[in-house]
Amino acid sequence: MDLENAQVQMRKGILEYCILHIISRGEIYASEILYELINAKIMVVEGTLYPLLTRLKNSGLLDYKWVESTSGPPRKYYVLTETGQLFLDNLNNTWDELSESVTTIISKK
């Protein structure tokens, strides 16, 4: 088994959840999302974020608005929709259950 591939798959499995959680804090620009994901070592490839944001928007979980910038072109700021917030609430419950289950398993000697 390839360790690096297993690690990548684990990160991919929680990437959407992390993105939704970051956006749930309020309007946010894509580069700020990317910065937080990279600093948390969840994502290291920039090209992964934009297709995910598009897919989440097309699923009705995100919306965006254009905001004029004083230092360049307008910026797209993302926000959760009401549907996105409900989806995230359900994912939070799933995460709590999953985290507890994994902790139970890995804490046994």
Side-chain angles (χ1 to χ4, degrees), residues 46-80:
E46 180 177 348
T48 303
L49 179 61
Y50 295 98
L52 265 172
L53 290 171
T54 299
R55 191 176 58 192
L56 292 170
K57 186 199 178 304
N58 291 343
S59 297
L61 303 178
L62 301 182
D63 203 357
Y64 63 83
K65 69 177 187 177
W66 289 100
V67 176
E68 292 297 325
S69 172
T70 58
S71 61
R75 293 181 172 187
K76 189 186 288 188
Y77 282 83
Y78 291 90
V79 294
L80 286 186

